[in-house]
Amino acid sequence: MCRVGTAVLSTGEAAPAVPPPTAHERVVALFDAHTRPVEYGRHANAATADVLAPGDGVVVALGVVHGRPTMAISYDGSAAGGTHGATAHAKIERGLRLAQHAGAAVVLFSEGGGFRPSEPPYYAERRDLVHELALLSGRVPLVGVAVASVWDIRALELGVTDMIVGVHGASVALDEPGPGSDAPHVADVGALEREGAVNVGVGSVAEAIAVVRKYLDYFATPRRPLQQAEDPQVAEELARLIPDNPRRAVDGRRLTDLVADPDSVLRLSERFGGSVQTSLARVGGRALGLVASHSMVKAGALDSDASDKLARFIRLCDSFQLPMVYLTDVPGILAGPAAEHSAINRHSARPYFAQVHARISQLTVAVRRAYGQGMVIMGLGQHSPGQTLTLVWPSAEFGGMGLAGAAAITANSTTSAQATGGRSEQVLYQDLVSHGSALPVAQRFRADDVIEPGDTRARLLAAVELLPVADASRRSHIPLDPW
C-alpha cells in the first residue's frame, strides 16, 4: 500500500509524512560527503524590508560532486510565495559567473518563480540569468531539477539546461498560477516526460539528487576501472536475444543493459521518441553514449520525435567528448502520410547533420535489421568522420528496405518484370539475402567484422580501451540546442 504524503507503520497506523528536503538540505545531499562547500550570500536580505525570505529565497553554493567543482543553485519555493527577488537574482548571477571561471558544473533545483512586483525591474538589466546559462551551455554540464511547481523566469532557466529531472507532482510553466491555484495550468512532469520536455522523471527529491549525481559522474570521471568480472550469463543472454521469428520485437533497453557495465546505465527521455533509446553508460569503465533501436515502439522505425531525440543526444556527447556506441535494429525511417505531415524529411536530417559535424569516436553493432536511411542514421553511414569500428551479428541484414518485402514488390511489379528476367519472388529474395546478409557485407568491406552476439561486450571492451580520453581544456565549445 502506498499513499503520497504518508508512511504506513507495521501496526497499520499512518505516520507523519517526512517533509521533502529544504533548499539547503538539497545542496548538502548533492555534494560529496566530508567536503566543505562555499556558500554565497547566506545572510543576504531581500531588497525590500517588508519581505521575509532568508537568503532572499535561494541557496547558492560551490562544492564538489565526484571530485569536480559544482555550483548548486537551490530555490526555496516557500520564501515570499516563491517569488524571484533582486538580491536572489544578483546571487545567482554571481554563482553562474563563478561557474564559468572555475569550469564548474551547474545544478539548478527549481521551484516557484515570478518576479517580485514590489521590487525594481532588475530583470530588464543585462544581468539576465537565462543569458548566463545559455553562455555556459556546452562548456560545463547544466542540470535542472523541477522539485515542485516552477513558472516564469525559473521555467525559462530550466529550458536551457542540458538535462531536466522532474519530481512527479511537479510542473513547469511560463505562466504564473492563477488566483487561488496551487499550480500553474500546465502539464505535470509525467506529461512533460512523454513530450520530451523532462528527460528523467523520479518519485522524490532524494531520487532526483541520485540521478543528478549519476549524470555528473559521466563527465567528471570519463574513465574508471572495470569494477566487476565479466559475467558469462551476459554473453549467453546476448546470444539468445534475437528471436527466431523476425516479426518479434527486440527490447533495446535490455540490449543496452547487457552491453554496458552493470548498474552504469542512465536512460534519457525513455518515454519520448521511444523507437530509439538513448543512454549514458559505461563500457569497460569508460563513460560514453549508448544508442539502441527499440523495436517494441513503432517496430524501431525512426519518427520525427526519435530523430530529434537522437540529434540532441549526439550533440550532448559531442559537446563533452563522450564516444558513442550504436546498437542497430532499424527498419528505416517511418513512412506514410502521418509521418510526412510531421515533416519527417526535415527532422530525420537532424541526426545526420549532427553526425557529419561530430568529432567523437563512433562504434556500431548491427544486430538485426539495417534498412534504408534509418541504417545510415543509426551508425552505418559513411558520413561520420569518427567511425571507428563496425561490427555485425550473423543475423544482420542490409538493404534499401526489408529483403522479403523488396523481393515481393519487385516480383509483382510490371515495370521491373523485364529487368528481373521473370525470376520468382523466392529467387529474388535469395539474391537479396546473398548480397545483403552479414558475411557478404563484411566481404565487401562494408563492416569490419562479423561476430557472434555473445562476443559483443568483449569486442567493445577491447575497442573502447583504445580510445583516447579527450582533453577538456582543448575541446571546442559546442553549445547544446535547447530542444
Side-chain angles (χ1 to χ4, degrees), residues 279-363:
S279 306
L280 294 174
R282 291 185 184 273
V283 172
R286 178 67 185 268
L288 45 72
L290 265 173
V291 177
S293 299
H294 184 52
S295 54
M296 300 180 80
V297 175
K298 298 183 179 178
L302 292 163
D303 61 3
S304 291
D305 288 348
S307 298
D308 288 348
K309 169 180 169 179
L310 177 55
R312 193 174 190 279
F313 187 69
I314 295 166
R315 193 69 177 258
L316 172 69
C317 293
D318 194 32
S319 290
F320 296 103
Q321 291 294 280
L322 298 180
M324 292 186 66
V325 174
Y326 291 81
L327 306 170
T328 303
D329 173 26
V330 62
I333 304 294
L334 194 69
E340 299 298 349
H341 289 161
S342 74
I344 185 65
N345 65 312
R346 192 78 177 206
H347 288 278
S348 63
R350 292 190 68 200
Y352 184 97
F353 189 85
Q355 288 163 342
V356 166
H357 291 280
R359 304 152 305 159
I360 49 176
S361 299
Q362 174 179 290
L363 302 87

Side-chain angles (χ1 to χ4, degrees), residues 179-202:
S181 171
D182 292 330
H185 34 82
V186 293
D188 63 10
V189 161
L192 294 173
E193 268 190 284
R194 293 189 296 273
E195 296 300 322
V198 166
N199 302 106
V200 180
V202 296

Side-chain angles (χ1 to χ4, degrees), residues 387-434:
Q387 184 69 35
T388 303
L389 181 67
T390 303
L391 304 172
V392 297
W393 288 5
S395 52
E397 287 187 348
F398 300 79
M401 61 181 296
L403 305 189
I409 291 171
T410 304
N412 292 291
S413 171
T414 56
T415 59
S416 60
Q418 185 176 2
T420 61
R423 287 177 292 170
S424 69
E425 179 180 330
Q426 183 61 29
V427 171
L428 290 170
Y429 174 68
Q430 291 302 325
D431 287 347
L432 290 172
V433 169
S434 66

